[in-house]
Amino acid sequence: FGKILQSGKLLLGIVNDILDFSKIEAGKLELESVPVDLVGLLREASAMVQDRVRCQGLALKIKKAPDLPERCMSDPVRLVQVLVNLLTNAVKFTERGSVTLAARRDGEQLLFQVTDTGIGMTQEQVARIFHPFEQADTSTTRRFGGTGLGLTITQRIITLLDGDIRVESSPGQGSC
C-alpha cells in the first residue's frame, strides 16, 4: 500500500505540474490577493517537506527576520507552492547537511531564501533550470528524477506575483 500511495502522489504531482504549466501558458492562472499569515506560511511549507528531511537525516532550519511583518497581501496557496517546490528541490539534491528557509524584508518587498548544502550546479546548469522540461542533470540515468517543470512554474508564479527569482550555486557547495 505504501508503494501504491507513493506512486499515486508522484503521478498526481506530475498531473498538477502539467495543469499549472498549461494554465500559466494560456494566461489563465488566477492569483488571489488576501491577507497571508507569514509565520503560518513558513510553518506550512516546512511541514510539507519535514518527513523527507527526517528520512534523509538532514537539518531543516527556519530563519525569520525580526522585522518580518505578521501579514502581507498575496496568494497563500501559490506562495506555499513556490516555497515547497524550492524546499523539495533543495532536499532532493542534498545528501547531508542542511536546508534553510529564510524570510526577511528587503525594502518594501519580502525576500524568501532557500539555501542548501547539496551538490550545487555549474553556471551552465543554472542557465537551464528555468526552461520547461529541462533539468540540470540531463543524463539518461538521471539520478534525481522530476519532470523539469517545477522551477519553470515557480519562476512564472513569482513573476505573476511581481517578484523575481535568482540562483547562486557552485558545484559541491550547494545552492541558494
Side-chain angles (χ1 to χ4, degrees):
F1 282 133
K3 286 186 180 193
I4 292 169
L5 287 173
Q6 185 178 6
S7 295
K9 286 180 184 178
L10 177 64
L11 289 173
L12 180 60
I14 291 169
V15 169
N16 284 336
D17 279 352
I18 292 168
L19 289 172
D20 282 344
F21 183 72
S22 298
K23 284 181 194 175
I24 291 168
E25 288 296 300
K28 299 291 184 183
L29 184 69
E30 295 181 18
L31 299 178
E32 284 189 310
S33 184
V34 298
V36 176
D37 170 11
L38 289 173
V39 173
L41 182 95
L42 297 174
R43 192 177 306 121
E44 182 180 351
S46 61
M48 294 180 84
V49 298
Q50 189 63 48
D51 285 343
R52 187 159 183 187
V53 166
R54 192 176 310 114
C55 287
Q56 287 182 224
L58 301 174
L60 178 59
K61 303 172 186 176
I62 308 298
K63 293 183 178 180
K64 180 181 74 73
D67 68 340
L68 187 71
E70 286 184 33
R71 298 194 183 286
C72 72
M73 295 298 287
S74 192
D75 186 322
V77 171
R78 296 303 176 178
L79 278 178
V80 167
Q81 179 181 5
V82 162
L83 293 177
V84 167
N85 188 29
L86 295 174
L87 287 167
T88 299
N89 278 354
V91 171
K92 184 190 314 186
F93 295 104
T94 303
E95 291 182 354
R96 61 186 154 279
S98 63
V99 172
T100 303
L101 171 58
R104 65 180 173 89
R105 290 181 79 141
D106 185 17
E108 291 299 311
Q109 291 195 327
L110 293 174
L111 177 70
F112 295 98
Q113 190 171 23
V114 176
T115 308
D116 66 59
T117 59
I119 62 172
M121 295 176 283
T122 65
Q123 290 309 304
E124 294 80 21
Q125 290 171 321
V126 168
R128 289 194 316 264
I129 63 171
F130 294 114
H131 298 163
F133 305 106
E134 293 268 344
Q135 294 179 323
D137 178 8
T138 58
S139 70
T140 56
T141 59
R142 288 193 337 230
R143 183 172 143 205
F144 299 103
T147 62
L149 285 176
L151 289 175
T152 302
I153 292 167
T154 295
Q155 180 189 44
R156 301 221 178 138
I157 289 172
I158 290 170
T159 300
L160 289 171
L161 292 169
D162 294 325
D164 66 349
I165 185 169
R166 295 182 297 275
V167 180
E168 295 175 16
S169 188
S170 297
Q173 303 297 312
S175 300
C176 177

